[in-house]
Amino acid sequence: MSGTSTLATSFSAVAAKDKTDADPAARYQDCLACRVIGTAALGGVGVYALNQSRAHQPGSIVGKRIMAGLGVCFLIAGAMRWTK
């Protein structure tokens, strides 16, 4: 009987371990410096792309609209990086 008890205990330990490892993102926390650097990098790229989409920059209208869309996407990614 003690063998069955040990087997049940080991299975419950494995099941408990699977529950804690199921969502590693819930346990992961970025440090403040990582969040600041990531947000600043994404925001900087977004501002640069928006600047490249302005009328005084060389390029086609389609290229400028693509750059504007990328700039907005990078700014949104920077905001999401800060809040996550």
Side-chain angles (χ1 to χ4, degrees):
M1 283 285 207
S2 107
T4 306
S5 164
T6 305
L7 185 63
T9 305
S10 67
F11 280 138
S12 65
V14 169
K17 183 178 183 291
D18 287 342
K19 288 179 185 175
T20 58
D21 289 340
D23 192 15
R27 293 183 294 153
Y28 182 72
Q29 292 289 330
D30 275 342
C31 63
L32 181 62
C34 297
R35 285 180 25 202
V36 168
I37 290 171
T39 301
L42 289 169
V45 171
V47 169
Y48 177 77
L50 284 175
N51 185 35
Q52 292 298 312
S53 70
R54 294 180 59 187
H56 67 83
Q57 298 292 341
S60 68
I61 298 295
V62 174
K64 289 180 184 182
R65 289 187 180 169
I66 290 171
M67 288 300 284
L70 284 174
V72 170
C73 288
F74 275 111
L75 289 174
I76 291 171
M80 290 175 61
R81 174 77 174 108
W82 180 256
T83 59
K84 184 170 182 182

